Each structure stands twice: as structure tokens, then as C-alpha cells.
Amino acid sequence: MSFVKSRPDAPAGLFEVEAAGLRWLAVPGGVPVAQPLDVSPDQLTTTKLDTCPPTEAAAEEFGRRLAVTHDAGARHFGVPPDGWDGDGYIGTLPLPRAVEPVESWGEFYANLRLRPYLRAAHDQGIRLDGFDRVCKRLESGAYDDPSEGPSRIHGDLWSGNVLWTPNGVHLIDPAAHGGHRETDLAMLALFGLPRLERVLRAYDEAHPLPDGWRDRIGLHQLHPLLVHVVLFGGSYATQAVELARRY
């Protein structure tokens, strides 16, 4: 059985980079993904996944496997998935890639994950105070961990892209790139994932997380909130500004 996503007016490369992301995330021992079967400029065919209620056992396995996926690594922050050499997408918005390797996660996050969407929001007449300060702190290295290299992340890991199946969790609709493992964990928390604490405990057992990672959840949520500001308007702006004040 297969599942077909189609969009006649799809932005150039939308489905091709998604397929590349699914293949890149399919690492041995990692979280299974919807397998891409066929791709064209206006549609993507994947394996069809039946869903079932989430269980504690599936949550624990998901946490362990997600750590394995992340540990597969990436060449540098902002690198696109293998087989793709352009920008990606998050939703239908462009997701900038790093043309050249950047020196730190903070530099990458400030310049390729926050500032592009701040500019897009500004062009829509939406004011977002406090973000310039956050970007400068990121660029200064305030949130960098030299021991934490680029991870292989899903990039849009909200609960709707986590499918609970009879064979365990599978992932769909990635915005895959080289990023920070805490970004995926923060996305799981942004809109709520069933049995999230069990997932996080299992993840931490498989790959111990550094001190203070929970305090940085909001920092990693700033990017998806800005994406929502640009896509859906200023209703998310207040939430984004309030969160930015913490950092």
C-alpha cells in the first residue's frame, strides 16, 4: 500500500528535498520513516502507514531510536540531506542551507534560522522586539557547546509528523538538515506529544543530555514560532516575543 501527496503548484524542489530527507534520516537503528517510493515535482509517493494509539513501550523505543538518528551526525550545521544541494522547506517556506560550513551552532541558528524569518515577518508589517539581542547572544557563543557536533535532525518534529504505528513510531514530512539535537526535542514539546516524558527519559538514557537542556527548550522553539508568524500571521507574535525575552 502507498500514500501519495500531491500539489500541482508545489514550490520547486518541495517533494524532491522531502524524499532526500526521508532517505537521509533512515539510519540503521534510528527511527523508521515513511519510505519514499517515487517522487516528481508535483507529488511524492511513500509507504502507507497505519496508525494506532501511543503506548509507553513505543514511546520508550522512540526516544532510544531518536538518539541513534541524531548520533548519525551531519557534515556541518545547516547542511542539507545527502542527494540535495539547495535550500529546503519547512512547510512551504524556504529553509536556508549553509552554503559554506559555519563555525558554530549559534551563528547558524541566528543567521539561517531566525533572521530570515524575522525579515519575512517585518515585510508583513509584524514587529518582533527582542530578537536582535537574542541573535547577538547566539553569535557570541553564549549557547554553544563545543562538545556537541552537528546532529542529523528531522527539523520539523512536531507531533503531527510523529506517527504511532503497530510497528512503532515512524516519521514523516521532514525538514531534515544538520542541526542541534535539542531542536528536535524542543519541537516535540512545542505543540505537545503523547507520552513525551517517557520519550525524553529514554532518549537521555541512550544519549545523556547536557545540564540545562530543558532551560534551552524555548530557545529552540523560537524558529518554529517565527515560521508560524510568517505563515499564519501575528497571532503567534506575542508568544514568540515573550519567549525571546528569556534569552
Side-chain angles (χ1 to χ4, degrees), residues 11-187:
L14 179 71
F15 291 118
E16 291 91 339
V17 69
E18 181 178 339
L22 288 169
R23 296 187 188 102
W24 192 57
L25 292 171
V27 302
V31 186
V33 301
Q35 181 182 354
L37 303 175
D38 187 57
V39 62
S40 68
D42 59 3
Q43 71 176 36
L44 171 64
T45 303
T46 66
T47 49
K48 186 177 184 298
L49 298 170
D50 295 323
T51 60
C52 67
T55 66
E56 288 287 292
E60 183 169 338
E61 182 184 26
F62 175 37
R64 292 196 306 267
R65 284 180 172 269
L66 184 59
V68 173
T69 300
H70 289 165
D71 287 344
R75 295 192 306 278
H76 56 81
F77 292 113
V79 70
D82 292 347
W84 187 254
D85 195 33
D87 291 344
Y89 290 92
I90 184 162
T92 55
L93 293 182
L95 185 73
R97 68 182 173 112
V99 177
E100 300 291 339
V102 292
E103 293 187 3
S104 68
W105 175 77
E107 179 186 352
F108 154 71
Y109 193 62
N111 292 315
L112 293 178
R113 292 297 176 266
L114 297 186
R115 286 196 168 111
Y117 303 91
L118 291 168
R119 289 192 292 269
H122 181 270
D123 291 344
Q124 295 179 13
I126 301 171
R127 181 174 177 176
L128 295 159
D129 295 327
F131 274 88
D132 187 58
R133 176 185 54 79
V134 175
C135 288
K136 288 179 179 177
R137 292 204 70 202
L138 284 161
E139 290 175 311
S140 76
Y143 299 104
D144 285 326
D145 179 353
S147 68
E148 184 67 40
S151 293
R152 186 170 304 202
I153 70 170
H154 179 282
D156 192 14
L157 199 58
W158 71 289
S159 58
N161 289 337
V162 176
L163 296 189
W164 303 82
T165 83
N167 295 315
V169 165
H170 286 60
L171 303 182
I172 62 171
D173 297 351
H177 63 276
H180 199 302
R181 68 180 68 246
E182 292 176 13
T183 295
D184 271 353
L185 301 182
M187 280 290 288

